[in-house]
Amino acid sequence: MTIVVLEHITKEYRLGEHMVRALDDVTLSIESGVFLAIAGPSGSGKSTLLNIIGCIDTASSGRISVAGHDVSGQTPDQLASLRARTIGFVFQTFNLLPVLTAAENVEYPLLQMQELDKEDRKERVQEMLELVQLGKFAKHRPNQLSGGQRQRVAIARALVTRPELVLADEPTANLDHKTGEGILALMRDINRKLKTTFIFSTHDKKVIDSADRLVGIEDGTIRLLGVRKEGQWAITNLSRKGPAQPAKKSQSEEESNA
Amino acid sequence: MSLAVAQGFLEDVFVQLAEAIVHSQSGHIQLARQGFFEHGAHQPEKYLVEDPVGDKKRIATIPEVQDVMARLSFSGLLNNGRADLSVIGEGIEPDAENRLGTSLRIVAGRRLASTDKYGAVVGKGVAKSLGLKPGDRVVVVMSTSDGAMNSVELEIVGVFQSFSKEYDDRGVKIPLSAAQTLLNTTGASALVVLLHDTAQTQRLSHLLKERTVWRDQDVRTWVELNDFYLKTVELYKMQFGGLQVIILVMVLLSVVNAVNTTVFERVSEFGTFRALGNRNSDVLKMVVAENALLGLIGGALGVVGAIIVGQVIQRTGVPMPPPPNSELAYVAYVRVTWFALAGALAVGFTATVLAACVPAWRVSVIQVAEALRQSQ
Ligand SMILES: Nc1ncnc2c1ncn2[C@@H]1O[C@H](COP(=O)(O)OP(=O)(O)O)[C@@H](O)[C@H]1O
Ligand SMILES: [Mg+2]
């Protein structure tokens, strides 16, 4: 089953008189339940791609469908509702509300779900905080938490609505390497436990190995697709010219070439 | 806050102006016979109150009344031995008049005193025309009601200057008794009533009309006697309206600016809300509600501030230069009314809410991705 389908997506920004092409004819489908990394250097279009998948940005052309909804013709309010129920976001800068406690931050997305009463919400919030191992920090404000703890609160917030899809744009970029690995391991655990699809972007090759799917992006085009089975990456190289060239590489080779 | 204080200041200007008018000349209420206020200037002897002493006593028993005094108008010729000048005179009771106060400024000599049985103060123009100075002797001549000529010899004790050059060119003030001798009467033209409290004027004027001190009496309040007061109030209020608009615009602009800054500093926060599934309209409502609350708090603080400033000024006063046409400098106070405070509060509140709408709308329509990018 596929959860995201992108067909010939192009995204252009106007910069003064120039048009910057951030995404150039991207076609991609993502299976449900994967833990997918979008890798590429800074400025390659990772954020743009994630934003379009997350329905917080619109493509210049192409078709997108997310969790069975064709996104193209939808109104802003329909998209907001889709985001509220189907998509969770984790940001590079955490984006927690500084005046709210960890628990209140996690509870925030639930306030829009009228079917949940206060008790339900409390229960879910506690469940999520425990899932990210912050059960004891419910009453803490973001500024009383470390970067890693903040990002775990953000993950709990992204998961509390039980979304099918969690998007994380460089979730480890503001964390030291060890903490970043911990965050990815946590997301990976949750991905396995709850079968939630995770898509994260990174420009750090070292964290790619926690993923089971890989999309390599450069200059707004997909250059490489990878599937990992039993610790081995099966890599498909896509050149702009010529047909796709399947190739099989070992993990170490991939690292040195990507 | 500034709105409430400014309005309070204006209220005070009106009150002060009213007091100035009352105490410069007219008193609170004047009683005379029908027709005197219209035609008395030409033939004062035709409109005489016959028993001023008795009438004064009766009016003085009313508790709100502070003072009653009689005035007797006349017109005649003033002679310095060489030349005549036609003058408009008034016989007054010097002690009571001094208690009432006057807008006349003495430029030479002194005021009339009750001991001056045959003293006179003359206008600056009169003194100039006839070459008079304090100590000089003059004769006032006039024809009495029965046709005979009557005259009184007087000594100049002072020269005055008023607001009006015309009055200074013709005006003479002499003791009531001297004027009565001149007109060969024991009557008076008008009784001037001074009250303890200006606010009681309307009530007392009704009361006096009902009591009917004499048959064909005409009762006038100081507002009726000084029609320029209402005109001035109107003019000031109009000017204040302009000031209000200016303050309002300034308030609005600064609030728009402040709200703009705070809202745009938090664009990425609003972007986060929307990524988490809030609708545009939710964000819009949030921003407006937040600013409504801020406006309310700010307005309340302003009201407290206005009350404090009002109190401080009320205690100390602001010394003001004399207004045009007047010689008296005065101390301005601020009368902050509840009405003005409520108005200022409403203005503050509305301004913030209105000011919030534009940036709120702009934030809510900006692309979410664009809004989030601002945090990086
Ligand atoms: N709002 C924008 N206006 C103009 N250019 C933009 C905008 N957003 C992104 N870009 C450009 O699009 C390209 C891809 O950006 P982005 O998706 O943020 O890359 P990444 O996340 O991989 O660093 C870059 O060249 C960037 O400069
Ligand atoms: Mg990026």
Side-chain angles (χ1 to χ4, degrees):
Chain A
M1 208 186 98
T2 53
I3 184 159
V4 176
V5 179
L6 304 175
E7 287 172 48
H8 307 293
I9 294 298
T10 298
K11 176 70 181 177
E12 285 180 326
Y13 292 108
R14 178 180 286 281
L15 256 188
E17 291 179 8
H18 300 277
M19 296 301 283
V20 181
R21 188 162 281 204
L23 290 178
D24 188 3
D25 193 18
V26 169
T27 298
L28 181 68
S29 68
I30 297 170
E31 291 158 68
S32 191
V34 297
F35 197 68
L36 183 143
I38 297 175
S42 186
S44 55
K46 304 182 295 294
S47 297
T48 306
L49 183 57
L50 275 171
N51 290 343
I52 287 174
I53 294 172
C55 307
I56 56 175
D57 205 350
T58 47
S60 308
S61 67
R63 265 172 46 89
I64 312 119
S65 123
V66 177
H69 301 269
D70 189 340
V71 164
S72 316
Q74 299 212 357
T75 66
D77 281 358
Q78 286 173 320
L79 291 179
S81 151
L82 179 68
R83 287 197 294 270
R85 296 181 177 272
T86 319
I87 306 172
F89 286 89
V90 174
F91 305 98
Q92 179 181 337
T93 46
F94 320 141
N95 294 21
L96 300 176
L97 277 176
V99 291
L100 300 184
T101 64
E104 288 163 343
N105 266 290
V106 175
E107 189 183 3
Y108 187 88
L110 293 181
L111 297 177
Q112 297 170 88
M113 302 191 145
Q114 258 105 45
E115 67 269 23
L116 297 179
D117 64 23
K118 210 172 168 202
E119 284 305 306
D120 297 336
R121 294 203 303 263
K122 237 177 122 179
E123 209 170 287
R124 274 220 212 173
V125 167
Q126 199 52 37
E127 183 192 332
M128 284 305 137
L129 283 174
E130 248 134 53
L131 185 67
V132 298
Q133 293 133 36
L134 285 177
K136 294 205 181 70
F137 294 86
K139 293 258 159 5
H140 285 59
R141 297 264 160 101
N143 62 5
Q144 296 166 314
L145 297 171
S146 72
Q149 287 170 328
R150 286 182 210 183
Q151 195 60 304
R152 296 209 311 255
V153 173
I155 290 169
R157 179 177 66 182
L159 288 165
V160 78
T161 58
R162 302 191 177 140
E164 295 173 49
L165 175 64
V166 171
L167 302 173
D169 191 4
E170 310 217 20
T172 59
N174 277 358
L175 302 172
D176 64 64
H177 185 68
K178 211 168 138 256
T179 316
E181 276 190 342
I183 289 293
L184 279 174
L186 175 69
M187 294 202 299
R188 181 75 177 127
D189 276 355
I190 293 167
N191 163 253
R192 291 218 175 107
K193 221 187 282 178
L194 304 180
K195 306 277 178 262
T196 313
T197 310
F198 275 78
I199 303 176
F200 72 97
S201 72
T202 181
H203 64 265
D204 180 3
K205 293 185 196 84
K206 282 177 224 140
V207 301
I208 292 169
D209 281 337
S210 55
D212 57 18
R213 291 290 185 282
L214 174 66
V215 172
I217 185 169
E218 233 170 275
D219 293 332
T221 48
I222 296 178
R223 289 293 162 89
L224 165 162
L225 292 171
V227 178
R228 197 166 66 149
K229 281 187 186 128
E230 288 128 26
Q232 291 292 305
W233 282 107
I235 301 290
T236 309
N237 256 319
L238 305 171
S239 166
R240 299 212 81 181
K241 309 145 206 160
Q245 304 197 340
K248 210 161 191 180
K249 284 188 181 178
S250 81
Q251 195 176 315
S252 53
E253 276 172 352
E254 202 298 301
E255 265 188 22
S256 53
N257 285 10
Chain B
M1 175 181 136
S2 46
L3 277 177
V5 173
Q7 197 164 339
F9 184 72
L10 196 70
E11 302 282 341
D12 183 70
V13 168
F14 294 155
V15 171
Q16 297 248 2
L17 179 63
E19 292 302 319
I21 288 171
V22 166
H23 290 283
S24 69
Q25 172 71 26
S26 67
H28 287 106
I29 298 171
Q30 290 189 14
L31 291 92
R33 288 180 52 190
Q34 289 285 354
F36 171 76
F37 292 114
E38 288 82 21
H39 317 294
H42 303 300
Q43 295 166 299
E45 65 280 0
K46 275 200 173 171
Y47 304 96
L48 287 181
V49 178
E50 273 138 32
D51 181 19
V53 179
D55 294 337
K56 267 170 62 180
K57 271 194 193 133
R58 260 175 288 156
I59 294 170
T61 56
I62 302 171
E64 286 87 348
V65 172
Q66 186 186 332
D67 229 328
V68 195
M69 62 210 78
R71 286 181 190 160
L72 178 55
S73 304
F74 63 89
S75 56
L77 292 173
L78 193 66
N79 183 294
N80 65 351
R82 295 179 296 279
D84 284 336
L85 180 72
S86 83
V87 293
I88 302 165
E90 206 169 32
I92 58 170
E93 298 176 278
D95 282 350
E97 293 282 347
N98 287 342
R99 284 196 296 274
L100 171 66
T102 176
S103 57
L104 301 187
R105 198 163 58 98
I106 294 296
V107 292
R110 56 174 174 80
R111 293 182 193 289
L112 271 182
S114 55
T115 48
D116 301 320
K117 277 212 90 159
Y118 292 98
V121 289
V122 297
K124 205 176 163 188
V126 176
K128 203 175 165 202
S129 304
L130 293 179
L132 298 174
K133 57 184 188 307
D136 289 352
R137 300 204 148 259
V138 288
V139 176
V140 187
V141 187
M142 75 163 296
S143 52
T144 58
S145 36
D146 47 28
M149 295 290 276
N150 221 344
S151 70
V152 174
E153 194 184 326
L154 301 165
E155 182 189 338
I156 305 289
V157 300
V159 177
F160 67 77
Q161 185 177 10
S162 71
F163 299 149
S164 152
K165 188 175 175 310
E166 277 166 51
Y167 184 65
D168 294 346
D169 287 345
R170 295 272 176 246
V172 175
K173 294 211 176 204
I174 67 177
L176 180 65
S177 56
Q180 284 172 334
T181 310
L182 196 60
L183 270 79
N184 196 16
T185 177
T186 53
S189 309
L191 296 186
V192 178
V193 180
L194 181 66
L195 302 178
H196 291 290
D197 181 4
T198 306
Q200 298 287 336
T201 308
Q202 277 306 325
R203 216 169 61 72
L204 255 285
S205 125
H206 284 300
L207 191 89
L208 285 171
K209 274 178 195 163
E210 274 166 26
R211 283 218 182 162
T212 317
V213 187
W214 57 84
R215 215 162 21 81
D216 60 341
Q217 69 175 9
D218 190 359
V219 180
R220 302 265 172 124
T221 66
W222 61 271
V223 180
E224 293 162 334
L225 291 166
N226 301 278
D227 59 348
F228 76 94
Y229 172 76
L230 287 181
K231 286 179 193 148
T232 311
V233 166
E234 214 157 283
L235 180 75
Y236 271 36
K237 280 202 168 147
M238 230 166 68
Q239 289 180 343
F240 181 65
L243 180 71
Q244 233 166 354
V245 168
I246 293 171
I247 294 184
L248 246 164
V249 168
M250 273 162 47
V251 166
L252 212 63
L253 283 181
S254 61
V255 170
V256 166
N257 192 31
V259 171
N260 247 321
T261 326
T262 51
V263 167
F264 280 99
E265 269 170 6
R266 290 165 55 202
V267 162
S268 84
E269 189 178 313
F270 299 126
T272 307
F273 288 147
R274 284 168 61 201
L276 296 179
N278 279 146
R279 296 182 196 169
N280 297 357
S281 52
D282 296 333
V283 172
L284 194 103
K285 274 184 235 158
M286 223 183 309
V287 176
V288 172
E290 197 177 281
N291 278 283
L293 195 68
L294 280 178
L296 214 57
I297 295 171
L301 286 180
V303 165
V304 171
I307 292 175
I308 292 172
V309 170
Q311 284 293 322
V312 168
I313 298 179
Q314 196 71 296
R315 297 254 160 85
T316 55
V318 178
M320 293 290 283
N325 267 353
S326 164
E327 304 295 338
L328 287 167
Y330 69 104
V331 179
Y333 295 94
V334 170
R335 278 158 224 266
V336 179
T337 61
W338 287 113
F339 184 73
L341 287 177
L345 185 64
V347 165
F349 179 73
T350 326
T352 4
V353 172
L354 286 182
C357 287
V358 176
W361 177 76
R362 276 165 64 185
V363 161
S364 73
V365 298
I366 185 175
Q367 276 278 351
V368 186
E370 201 52 50
L372 284 168
R373 188 180 294 276
Q374 317 245 332
S375 66
Q376 268 119 53

